[in-house]
Amino acid sequence: MKRQRYLWILLGFVLGAPLGVTFGKGDWTAPLIVGAVGALLGLAGFAVVRVAQPAAAAGTAKTDYAAILGLLSGALIGGVAGALGGFGRVMIRVFNPDLPEQDFGVFFGATGGVLVGAFVGAVLASSIARVCGCRAARNPENPPDRSSD
């Protein structure tokens, strides 16, 4: 338990210190300050996970492989469709209208297509699998609960 807490704090510091180097512009105290803020956020993250983990552990033995497959296929299809279908124009108009479309249209289209396609693909594949009655595979490390037998 103590080891996990220290790992969270260390991870927060290790992730915060390079940001301090980046934004500090030569100031040697910036990595220490931002690293300390990262360590505090790591400690807060540990506390949140420690409190929320027992409540979320009810369904840990189930992996929704249909959602994973849908996410991957949706990301692939969405990225190609977004790059070729003009979705970049919409993304540029929404997020940064000052960018020239001819330079950034394909990139923004592919990026937005991957994000939207992954989300939609995961939701659709998981929903279709549940409607069709496909069962989620069980994790071999956690045997099924046989207390009701």
Side-chain angles (χ1 to χ4, degrees):
M1 172 75 109
K2 286 185 178 182
R3 187 173 138 199
Q4 286 181 346
R5 182 179 347 161
Y6 292 130
L7 286 174
W8 278 82
I9 292 171
L10 180 66
L11 180 67
F13 183 80
V14 167
L15 292 175
L19 286 174
V21 170
T22 303
F23 297 122
K25 298 181 182 177
D27 184 16
W28 63 273
T29 58
L32 295 175
I33 293 171
V34 179
V37 170
L40 287 174
L41 290 175
L43 183 62
F46 170 75
V48 168
V49 168
R50 180 82 174 130
V51 169
Q53 189 174 13
T60 56
K62 299 175 186 164
T63 301
D64 195 355
Y65 289 106
I68 295 171
L69 183 64
L71 180 131
L72 294 173
S73 59
L76 180 68
I77 293 168
V80 171
L84 300 177
F87 189 54
R89 183 178 316 125
V90 175
M91 294 283 291
I92 288 173
R93 285 184 187 158
V94 169
F95 292 110
N96 194 352
D98 296 334
L99 286 177
E101 182 185 333
Q102 64 271 15
D103 293 337
F104 296 100
V106 173
F107 173 73
F108 274 94
T111 303
V114 164
L115 293 174
V116 172
F119 178 74
V120 170
V123 169
L124 282 177
S126 181
S127 300
I128 290 171
R130 286 184 187 232
V131 168
C132 292
C134 299
R135 301 182 79 181
R138 295 200 181 270
N139 190 343
E141 295 176 4
N142 297 331
D145 184 23
R146 303 232 184 241
S147 61
S148 63
D149 291 340

